[in-house]
Amino acid sequence: MSGAPTRERLPAIPVEPVSLLLVDDQPENLLALEATLAPLGQRLVTARSGREALRHLLTQDFAVILLDVVMPEMDGFETAQLIRERERSRGTPLIFLTGLSRGQHPELRGYAMGAVDYLLKPFEPAILRSKVSVFVELYRKTELVRRQAEALREAQQREHARELLEAQRRVEAERLRSETNRNQQRWLEAVLAALPMPLALVEPGSGRTLLANRAAQGLAGGCLAYREARALHADARFRGADGRLFADDDLPLPRAARGEVFQACPVEWEVGGQRGSVLASSERLPRMHGRPETMVLGLLDVTALRAVASQGWLPLPVTEHIATLEARGEDTGPLTRLIDVLQSLPGLSPARSGQEHEEGSPSAEQSGQASNHDAQSDEHRRVRNG
């Protein structure tokens, strides 16, 4: 922002001729005054009476007034008194010119009326020009200071207006930026809310949930996405892959709040008589676009896959997909590991569910289930192959 305007920056003010008022009821005296003051190069205005002089003062300002004392109807003193009564001309210098004798002391009355000088006729032209030139220069300097002050005030007003406009632009830009950020936030919230996968944004340290989409809110009564939901479900139970209960600090949400990054953490939940399985993952979002560091908690609902995996077989599309990947020479490791994780969840292993038997001696129930499973698989293949 530029500094306040200074006088060095102000535009140059051209020097113009100033106005001088010459008042005398005798035309020859006015002619003599004009001839005497013409070398000064100023604007000379003449008046042949006090009333005419007052009319000139209504329309313009003068650097000095040369006023004859003896005039009919209104003499110089009466004219000077009226001049001094006007606010605009109260400070205008007055020079009295008269042919009266010094013995009558009329100059005392002239000085009492505010005259700056009192000259007797006939006067010395050089002396008169010298006296008038002093007042011309004084008036010009005073006018210059006034114009400079006015120019400075106008420059300051323009600078103030410019700064105000710039401030308004900054405020408007900030408003638009904030509005854009809010719209982007609303858009992001709408996108996250529409995603089928449960997601939550967690504030590191405090563990406060900044945002959880609808899928996360409806999963396990919201206990995996909100700390506050645990207080509403006192019967909530959470187990790990080994079947042991999770401590509160070991749940995915507190771990994400501590800044931990993990992948596919299996969690078995039971809330309000309902059960399910999730694979929890956490990732860190660094500071960006004015946002602080945030943890993203993903909760992959694998309840349906768990039910399938607990039967010890996989749906045909999955097996065919694995076979297709192997035929293409592509890596089937991630999918195979996911299947292994699902099958290792609590209660999924055939050795854990049901009664154990001796190796190589399956029970009749298990043999029947296996036969039934093979029959279902053969029927499913015949349907797919037409």
Side-chain angles (χ1 to χ4, degrees), residues 53-302:
L54 293 176
R55 283 196 296 269
H56 286 303
L57 286 168
L58 293 176
T59 58
Q60 58 184 312
D61 296 326
F62 296 95
V64 63
I65 300 175
L66 285 78
L67 185 59
D68 186 26
V69 174
V70 180
M71 291 186 298
E73 296 183 3
M74 182 185 297
D75 63 15
F77 296 131
E78 294 173 334
T79 304
Q81 183 176 358
L82 294 175
I83 290 174
R84 287 292 182 255
E85 289 178 357
R86 295 181 68 252
E87 180 67 28
R88 185 171 176 178
S89 59
R90 182 170 298 170
T92 303
L94 295 175
I95 297 178
F96 282 108
L97 302 174
T98 183
L100 296 178
S101 172
R102 290 183 178 273
Q104 300 177 4
H105 302 292
E107 65 272 14
L108 297 180
R109 185 181 178 187
Y111 288 126
M113 300 301 300
V116 296
D117 208 341
Y118 195 99
L119 299 179
L120 292 175
K121 300 177 183 178
F123 48 80
E124 179 62 37
I127 294 178
L128 181 60
R129 278 195 301 270
S130 177
K131 292 179 179 292
V132 171
S133 63
V134 171
F135 294 110
V136 167
E137 187 64 24
L138 178 61
Y139 179 84
R140 181 174 285 126
K141 290 182 178 180
T142 303
E143 186 68 11
L144 179 62
V145 171
R146 185 188 67 79
R147 292 188 181 184
Q148 286 182 338
E150 183 177 350
L152 178 61
R153 183 169 57 254
E154 292 176 356
Q156 289 174 338
Q157 290 175 351
R158 288 193 299 269
E159 180 69 14
H160 177 70
R162 190 192 66 80
E163 292 176 356
L164 181 61
L165 180 60
E166 184 66 23
Q168 291 175 344
R169 289 176 179 173
R170 288 197 301 270
V171 170
E172 181 64 17
E174 183 63 26
R175 186 190 67 80
L176 292 177
R177 185 162 48 251
S178 300
E179 184 65 23
T180 300
N181 291 338
R182 285 195 295 269
N183 291 337
Q184 291 177 348
Q185 179 71 13
R186 296 189 190 103
W187 178 83
L188 177 60
E189 292 176 358
V191 171
L192 293 179
L195 289 177
M197 180 178 178
L199 289 174
L201 301 181
V202 182
E203 184 178 58
S206 68
R208 183 170 63 95
T209 300
L210 304 175
L211 174 66
N213 61 3
R214 287 191 295 268
Q217 295 172 9
L219 183 66
C223 294
L224 293 172
Y226 292 97
R227 295 179 306 171
E228 297 80 5
R230 294 296 309 277
L232 303 177
H233 300 279
D235 61 338
R237 296 292 183 271
F238 301 92
R239 301 180 184 274
D242 56 0
R244 297 180 181 179
L245 287 173
F246 269 119
D248 288 346
D249 290 341
D250 294 333
L251 287 172
L253 181 60
R255 291 179 62 187
R258 292 194 297 268
E260 294 186 31
V261 176
F262 51 87
Q263 297 292 330
C265 174
V267 178
E268 285 282 311
W269 60 267
E270 180 179 354
V271 177
Q274 297 182 347
R275 297 182 178 182
S277 303
V278 299
L279 295 178
S281 300
S282 175
E283 189 58 64
R284 180 182 293 107
L285 288 179
R287 293 186 180 91
M288 61 178 65
H289 307 302
R291 300 281 182 177
E293 184 180 87
T294 306
M295 300 300 296
V296 180
L297 179 63
L299 303 168
L300 178 61
D301 189 359
V302 293

